[in-house]
């Protein structure tokens, strides 16, 4: 075990009952309201797909952090699921960590599933990504963040971790370092993980199961809110990694950033190629590629 960490797990369980979706970012607030065709062939908003994802993991309560005034639009976008949601307003855009901290009363001092509202996760197996992550956190009784091997060209868009592979466990890493949007030089110096392809790093997937102690760590940053760049979740996760056992897990699935250039297009393709209409979509893509050559 790495120096400085607690040797005993302070929680009796890490099975989350509540999920928190963060949708208040000034540049991301409208993205969950966009419509896509899900894997079952049904047209849904990204928000609905996100809510169904977390409910599949046994979540009983879903909270959504929004900008002031956005509740009506989000309730409408959630359809029938909107009646059971709890909305939490982030009064000012003070950072991702601040958005999470705003939900401290909703979390009620218990472990929770955290999902960013501008990413969709597409599982490649029978279990959803949220279910996979929740099962790992429950079994390991500690915080777990989903990660994905990511090329260094994408480092400006993600938090990233460094650490070591857990002995005998494929795709499970004990986190030693967390950096928010590191430069390639920083990543090369601090985030090397043996076994990854050259130029690739373990970047966040947009999905975490976190202990309630993360709120205490965020509160420390909120108390000194003059820090440039806003209140970062990654900074608190870095401190968490030095106080408690904290793991990173590669899931059987892929994240799609719907806020990236062509993000909605690639997300739609990802959903379609893992869905019931896969063959129809593939045939359409072949025809499109053939036509584009002329």
């Amino acid at each position: 075990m790495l120096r400085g960490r607690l040797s005993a797990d302070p929680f009796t369980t890490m099975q989350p009952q509540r999920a928190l979706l963060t949708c208040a970012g000034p540049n991301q607030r409208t993205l969950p309201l966009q419509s896509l065709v899900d894997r079952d062939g049904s047209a849904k908003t990204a928000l609905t797909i996100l809510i169904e994802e977390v409910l599949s993991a046994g979540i009983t309560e879903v909270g959504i952090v929004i900008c002031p005034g956005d509740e009506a639009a989000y309730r409408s976008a959630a359809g029938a699921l909107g009646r059971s949601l709890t909305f939490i307003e982030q009064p000012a855009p003070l950072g991702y960590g601040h958005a999470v901290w705003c939900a401290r009363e909703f979390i009620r001092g218990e472990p929770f599933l955290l999902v960013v509202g501008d990413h969709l996760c597409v599982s490649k197996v029978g279990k959803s990504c949220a279910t996979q992550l929740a099962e790992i956190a429950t079994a390991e009784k500690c915080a777990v963040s989903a990660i994905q091997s990511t090329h260094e060209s994408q480092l400006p868009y993600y938090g990233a971790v460094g650490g070591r592979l857990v002995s005998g466990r494929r795709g499970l890493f004990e986190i030693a370092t967390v950096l928010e949007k590191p430069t390639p030089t920083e990543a090369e110096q601090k985030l090397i993980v043996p076994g990854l392809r050259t130029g690739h790093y373990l970047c966040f997937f947009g999905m975490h199961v976190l202990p309630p102690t993360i709120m205490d760590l965020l509160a420390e940053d909120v108390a000194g809110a003059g820090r440039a760049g806003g209140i970062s979740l990654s900074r608190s996760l870095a401190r968490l990694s030095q106080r408690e056992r904290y793991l990173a897990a590669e899931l059987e699935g892929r994240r799609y950033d719907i806020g990236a250039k062509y993000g909605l297009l690639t997300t739609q393709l990802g959903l379609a190629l893992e869905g019931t209409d896969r063959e129809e979509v593939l045939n359409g893509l072949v025809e499109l590629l053939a036509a584009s050559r002329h």
Side-chain angles (χ1 to χ4, degrees), residues 229-272:
I231 298 164
S232 164
L233 178 65
S234 292
R235 195 158 47 232
S236 291
L237 292 177
R239 297 204 302 276
L240 181 73
S241 72
Q242 302 306 311
R243 299 187 185 192
E244 302 173 11
R245 187 170 184 249
Y246 176 26
L247 302 178
E250 288 186 295
L251 306 182
E252 295 289 340
R254 184 173 180 82
R255 63 158 144 69
Y256 293 90
D257 181 354
I258 59 178
K261 186 178 182 179
Y262 304 120
L264 280 170
L265 173 61
T266 54
T267 303
Q268 182 60 84
L269 286 173
L271 289 166

Side-chain angles (χ1 to χ4, degrees), residues 119 146-161 182 184 187 191 193 196-206 250 253-257:
H119 286 51
I147 42 88
Q148 181 171 303
S149 177
T150 303
H151 190 264
E152 63 183 9
S153 62
Q154 299 299 304
L155 286 173
Y157 305 104
Y158 299 103
V161 305
L191 300 178
V193 176
L196 289 186
R197 288 180 292 168
T198 301
H200 284 72
Y201 299 92
L202 297 180
C203 291
F204 286 135
F205 200 83
E250 288 186 295
R254 184 173 180 82
R255 63 158 144 69
Y256 293 90
D257 181 354

Side-chain angles (χ1 to χ4, degrees), residues 67 93 105 107 116 146 197 204 257 275 291:
C67 288
E105 292 183 5
I107 296 306
V116 293
R197 288 180 292 168
F204 286 135
D257 181 354

Side-chain angles (χ1 to χ4, degrees), residues 1-6 241-244:
M1 182 167 292
L2 299 179
R3 183 177 298 175
R5 300 191 183 182
L6 299 178
S241 72
Q242 302 306 311
R243 299 187 185 192
E244 302 173 11

Side-chain angles (χ1 to χ4, degrees), residues 37-160:
V37 178
D38 202 1
R39 285 174 289 185
D40 59 5
S42 301
K44 301 174 183 176
T45 62
L47 178 64
T48 299
I49 296 172
L50 283 167
I51 295 169
E52 290 178 346
E53 169 88 18
V54 300
L55 291 177
S56 72
I59 295 298
T60 58
E61 297 182 52
V62 180
I64 304 182
V65 182
I66 57 170
C67 288
D70 282 356
E71 180 174 339
Y74 270 77
R75 238 181 239 289
S76 176
L81 296 172
R83 293 189 297 270
S84 60
L85 302 176
T86 298
F87 290 95
I88 303 114
E89 291 188 350
Q90 183 184 17
L94 299 179
Y96 182 28
H98 181 260
V100 176
W101 180 79
C102 286
R104 60 198 180 282
E105 292 183 5
F106 170 76
I107 296 306
R108 300 178 202 167
E110 296 180 5
F112 63 102
L113 173 64
L114 174 63
V115 179
V116 293
D118 58 349
H119 286 51
L120 291 183
C121 303
V122 181
S123 174
K124 295 184 177 296
V125 294
K127 293 179 181 178
S128 70
C129 291
T131 299
Q132 295 175 51
L133 187 65
E135 288 182 350
I136 294 169
T138 301
E140 299 295 332
K141 294 186 178 180
C142 68
V144 185
S145 290
I147 42 88
Q148 181 171 303
S149 177
T150 303
H151 190 264
E152 63 183 9
S153 62
Q154 299 299 304
L155 286 173
Y157 305 104
Y158 299 103

